[in-house]
Amino acid sequence: MKLISQVIDALDIRSSGRWFLYSTLVGVAAGVGASAFYVLGQIVIRYTLGEFAGYTPATAEGEQALFADADTPFRPWMIVVVMTLGGLVSGTLVYWLAPEADGAGGNTAIDAFHNRRGDIRGRVPIVKLIASAVTLGTGGSGGQEGPIALIGAGIGSWLGARMKLSHRDRRVLLAAGMGAGVGAIFRAPLAGALFAGEILYSDADLEADVIVPAATASIVAYSVFTQVLPAESRFLTLFGEDLHHTFTTPLELIPYMGLAAAVIGGGILYVSTFEAMGRWFRKLPIIAHLRPAIGAALAGLVGMAMLYGFNGDQRALAVLGIGYGTLQETLTAASGVGATMLFAIALVKILTTSLTIGSGGSGGVFGPSMVIGGCLGAAVGLVFQQWMPGLGIEPEAFAVVGMAGFFAGVARAPISTIIMVRALTGDFGLLVPTMLVTTLTFITCARWKLYRRQVPTRMDSKAHRGDFLVDVLEGLLVRDVFHRDRKVMMINESMTLDEIVHLLADNHQHYFPVVNREGAMVGIFSDDDVRSYLYNDSIWRLAVASDVMVSEFVSVSPDDDLNTALKRFTSMNLDELPVLDPDQPGKLLGMLRRKETIAAYNQRLMEHKQAAADA
């Protein structure tokens, strides 16, 4: 890393070139990390669930298994055993080596951006990669986005630290790593870049500075990751290329509003259950290492109940693992799955994901959200298809819209989610209903969010406190703050120290401007400056104001902004500054107090927050 920094300095690469190089490095590393995560996950599935339970989860059309299925006969109850052991291994790894890598992973990356100056320990990406591959590969209900986001963020943070970048630049590389990981694993580089900028905030805000670096890193990571995929599916969208739906009449928006209501209810239930399970597991009087094993075992038992409840239909096992196989069938032939099973999968997936991730298991929440939203959407579509046969409703279209609407509401990321779902399905014919549903869920689910470390806007982030201080102060001028009518006692430069001492005894003014015979200000002194002479009264009648004053003083004009004024306050550690007329050199207009400057800033900040709340 030192060599890279030396090369950059030697070539005198400008800022844009530096970021292109930094982002490329992050993209390559994140692409390698995504490849390792994908391959390791496949290995764990083949030699745990496949070898001992005879079960290989169905996959999406764009995914292909890297290994042949095992010859082991299907043994459902071994799934529970494998999941429990997987939870034990994952929990031991995480809580022994990197406790911050537990759970979904997204919160850790978001917290590092806002509150930890972009710092993530170097071991975290490695621990997260292995623990997540074990959790998901053994059947834990979770997704890939949380782990790969933290893996990519950790890589970006590590590279930034090794190259000794500033805290701000390390934050940018952290976010670029998040976007690169997500863009690679989901084969959606543009969506990954927007995800990195949008997921940091819960309101409609965006970290614009990270978009270009994240897009560069995401494209590079995607290019690296696709090289490990089979050639026939390398550039195939995750759910194939046969998902083409159209929006034909505004009347269809009526059932889509019904879908929005269902998705909102499901989102609230998802977040509430997820948080309740997290609190319950944290209260268990056992060491944290064992909690993921208990959560995995309970999730496995719930999965078995689903399997036997639907007469051994393995599609019901979408409540375990990632669940993309059943979601693929839902997106192409929802009626074959049936509304009953779809509703059941959506509801039970909420429980199994809460058990797996809420207990500290390592996995993401985006994958389960797509399964829940897709199955719930298809089920609602099947119901409306029977109620309104004349509209020609396609339940599969409702599944696509449900996927986007569900995650947009609970993750507070509407734009990147819409683009992500479009990239995963290749279906661009449903933008109008998708915008309707995601807007309704985003507005309604403001109190329920999966990523608790999100802050509302950049104004609320520690990463931008200095930026907004400058922005707000630069919007205010000295003329708006200092009081022209406040009487300021000025001292003639020839006034003796004896007169000054007696004058101070009856005056509460702290700073005293000194003027010459023409009334032009030539210096200033404070009462502290005078106190140093109090014990030497022999010179009181000899010394005059020009002997006490500071002639090299700092001042401001009415047209200076408060950021300039604050810099001058702090440069000399002053509490007041003289305000001079720029058109008449030396003419004193008044005194600006530091307290007034801070009060004006606080008042303007409150106005901004109130305006944002009203909007």
Side-chain angles (χ1 to χ4, degrees):
M1 296 305 158
K2 185 177 180 181
L3 177 61
I4 294 173
S5 297
Q6 290 174 343
V7 170
I8 290 174
D9 293 335
L11 296 177
D12 192 24
I13 299 176
R14 296 183 180 275
S15 177
S16 57
R18 287 171 183 261
W19 276 113
F20 179 78
L21 183 56
Y22 292 154
S23 303
T24 300
L25 289 174
V26 171
V28 171
V32 172
S35 302
F37 179 48
Y38 181 77
V39 172
L40 183 58
Q42 294 266 336
I43 292 173
V44 174
I45 290 174
R46 169 60 180 81
Y47 292 102
T48 57
L49 288 175
E51 190 69 25
F52 297 103
Y55 173 61
T56 301
T59 60
E61 185 176 330
E63 293 183 315
Q64 292 187 12
L66 301 179
F67 306 96
D69 293 348
D71 296 329
T72 308
F74 182 49
R75 294 185 288 188
W77 288 101
M78 280 300 296
I79 295 177
V80 181
V81 176
V82 169
M83 288 180 64
T84 304
L85 293 175
L88 181 61
V89 171
S90 173
T92 302
L93 276 173
V94 167
Y95 289 105
W96 179 36
L97 296 175
E100 63 267 45
D102 72 337
N107 272 319
T108 301
I110 294 170
D111 182 59
F113 181 92
H114 291 305
N115 304 311
R116 300 182 183 276
R117 298 180 176 180
D119 184 33
I120 297 176
R121 288 197 297 168
R123 69 176 67 179
V124 170
I126 299 173
V127 172
K128 190 66 177 178
L129 188 153
I130 299 172
S132 300
V134 170
T135 298
L136 301 177
T138 54
S141 180
Q144 298 169 310
E145 110 293 335
I148 197 59
L150 182 55
I151 292 167
I155 290 171
S157 174
W158 181 81
L159 287 172
R162 295 286 291 179
M163 290 186 287
K164 302 186 184 305
L165 300 182
S166 66
H167 299 316
R168 176 189 175 280
D169 291 348
R170 191 161 62 194
R171 283 185 172 106
V172 173
L173 281 189
L174 179 150
M178 287 177 61
V182 172
I185 205 75
F186 289 115
R187 304 175 223 177
L190 178 58
L194 289 175
F195 177 86
E198 193 176 27
I199 200 66
L200 299 168
Y201 304 104
S202 59
D203 287 354
D205 207 344
L206 188 71
E207 188 66 36
D209 289 348
V210 311
I211 299 299
V212 173
T216 303
S218 189
I219 292 170
V220 173
Y222 165 79
S223 302
V224 172
F225 173 73
T226 52
Q227 300 309 305
V228 305
L229 302 176
E232 58 272 20
S233 62
R234 184 166 295 167
F235 301 108
L236 189 66
T237 58
L238 191 62
F239 292 103
E241 298 177 339
D242 298 327
L243 305 180
H244 301 290
H245 303 286
T246 57
F247 173 70
T248 57
T249 171
L251 292 176
E252 292 183 42
L253 294 179
I254 297 174
Y256 277 116
M257 292 179 68
L259 170 62
V263 167
I264 290 168
I268 294 172
L269 179 63
Y270 186 27
V271 174
S272 301
T273 306
F274 190 86
E275 292 183 345
M277 283 296 172
R279 290 192 296 269
W280 184 76
F281 276 105
R282 286 191 293 272
K283 291 179 181 178
L284 285 182
I286 57 173
I287 60 173
H289 304 61
L290 300 178
R291 293 172 188 163
I294 296 173
L298 293 174
L301 291 173
V302 172
M304 292 305 100
M306 275 289 291
L307 179 67
Y308 289 107
F310 284 94
N311 301 316
D313 190 336
Q314 291 192 23
R315 293 177 299 182
L317 290 180
V319 299
L320 303 179
I322 298 176
Y324 285 171
T326 302
L327 180 58
Q328 176 72 65
E329 187 172 347
T330 301
L331 292 170
T332 52
S335 59
V337 183
T340 302
M341 179 179 285
L342 290 170
F343 271 124
I345 290 173
L347 294 175
V348 177
K349 187 73 171 174
I350 291 174
L351 177 59
T352 55
T353 303
S354 300
L355 287 168
T356 302
I357 311 302
S359 63
S362 193
V365 293
F366 178 71
S369 295
M370 287 203 300
V371 175
I372 296 166
C375 290
L376 186 59
V380 170
L382 286 170
V383 171
F384 276 109
Q385 188 181 52
Q386 293 182 346
W387 289 355
M388 301 178 176
L391 282 181
I393 291 174
E394 298 176 297
E396 295 80 10
F398 274 63
V400 173
V401 175
M403 289 165 59
F406 189 86
F407 190 70
V410 298
R412 318 301 300 151
I415 304 302
S416 59
T417 299
I418 292 172
I419 296 175
M420 180 76 75
V421 171
R422 296 296 149 248
L424 295 177
T425 61
D427 189 353
F428 289 86
L430 298 171
L431 288 178
V432 172
T434 302
M435 285 297 295
L436 172 67
V437 174
T438 54
T439 299
L440 291 175
T441 56
F442 180 77
I443 293 172
T444 309
C445 294
R447 290 176 51 198
W448 296 271
K449 58 181 182 180
L450 283 174
Y451 297 111
R452 282 294 168 188
R453 294 298 183 180
Q454 289 174 325
V455 297
T457 66
R458 286 176 296 164
M459 188 179 294
D460 303 284
S461 173
K462 291 181 180 179
H464 288 289
R465 281 185 178 173
D467 298 344
F468 280 98
L469 175 65
V470 172
D471 289 344
V472 173
L473 289 174
E474 286 183 346
L476 292 168
L477 299 180
V478 171
R479 67 169 67 252
D480 302 323
V481 177
F482 88 101
H483 298 284
R484 289 177 178 267
D485 55 349
R486 182 191 299 132
K487 187 176 181 180
V488 178
M489 178 177 291
M490 292 182 285
I491 305 296
N492 191 281
E493 62 181 343
S494 61
M495 182 179 288
T496 64
L497 184 58
D498 182 67
E499 293 175 301
I500 293 172
V501 169
H502 286 88
L503 190 67
L504 261 61
D506 300 320
N507 196 290
H508 298 292
Q509 191 169 311
H510 185 52
Y511 288 90
F512 294 85
V514 180
V515 296
N516 58 20
R517 293 180 179 179
E518 289 75 30
M521 184 174 173
V522 293
I524 191 170
F525 64 83
S526 70
D527 52 7
D528 291 332
D529 296 326
V530 176
R531 286 193 182 98
S532 63
Y533 293 93
L534 291 180
Y535 299 100
N536 190 5
D537 56 2
S538 62
I539 65 169
W540 283 14
R541 294 184 181 278
L542 300 176
V544 294
S546 59
D547 298 319
V548 180
M549 72 180 187
V550 175
S551 57
E552 298 293 330
F553 60 91
V554 292
S555 64
V556 290
S557 75
D559 295 324
D560 286 330
D561 59 57
L562 292 195
N563 184 47
T564 300
L566 189 61
K567 288 179 179 178
R568 293 177 184 174
F569 276 126
T570 55
S571 66
M572 302 293 290
N573 193 25
L574 300 172
D575 292 318
E576 294 186 37
L577 286 173
V579 182
L580 301 182
D581 190 335
D583 299 323
Q584 301 181 53
K587 182 179 180 180
L588 182 71
L589 300 177
M591 298 293 288
L592 174 69
R593 295 178 178 177
R594 185 194 291 225
K595 289 182 179 180
E596 294 170 342
T597 303
I598 300 301
Y601 165 75
N602 289 330
Q603 178 64 31
R604 181 61 60 90
L605 197 62
M606 291 298 297
E607 292 172 358
H608 281 214
K609 288 186 176 181
Q610 185 61 47
D614 294 340

